[in-house]
Amino acid sequence: MAREVASTRIPGTESQLPVPEPPVLKPAANPPAANAAEAAAAARGNVLRPLFLVPHRLTPAERHRRICELAYRRAEQRGFAPGSEVEDWLEAEREVDAGRY
């Protein structure tokens, strides 16, 4: 016996184009490791990274300390010339927040 399927058309919407659903993206089963150390760690099941590589997990005091140190180094490199203190601080913040320091 054949099954009857209910129509999904709504009367009066014949001129409207159907809205396509966004594709479902599935994560890769085994993402490639960046280096041999990461590949070995992934093989052991240990994929956690050290705390210092994850800047959003820094305590506010640790983040401030790192920014202070980096801003001081930048000022020292330019001979402590006045006028660029804010730029030194903002660039240090960007580097710490990006995880480069």
Side-chain angles (χ1 to χ4, degrees), residues 44-101:
R44 291 190 309 267
N46 182 11
V47 292
L48 295 177
R49 294 186 178 169
L51 182 62
F52 64 88
L53 293 178
V54 185
H56 65 276
R57 288 190 180 176
L58 293 175
T59 64
E62 177 65 17
R63 179 180 177 270
H64 183 77
R65 186 188 64 76
R66 288 185 183 192
I67 292 170
C68 288
E69 288 176 3
L70 192 55
Y72 181 85
R73 286 184 192 172
R74 292 181 161 282
E76 185 177 38
Q77 286 176 350
R78 61 180 175 76
F80 296 105
S84 297
E85 297 85 5
V86 174
E87 289 83 9
D88 292 339
W89 185 269
L90 294 176
E91 186 61 31
E93 278 186 338
R94 281 191 284 274
E95 286 196 32
V96 169
D97 290 343
R100 292 189 297 250
Y101 177 77

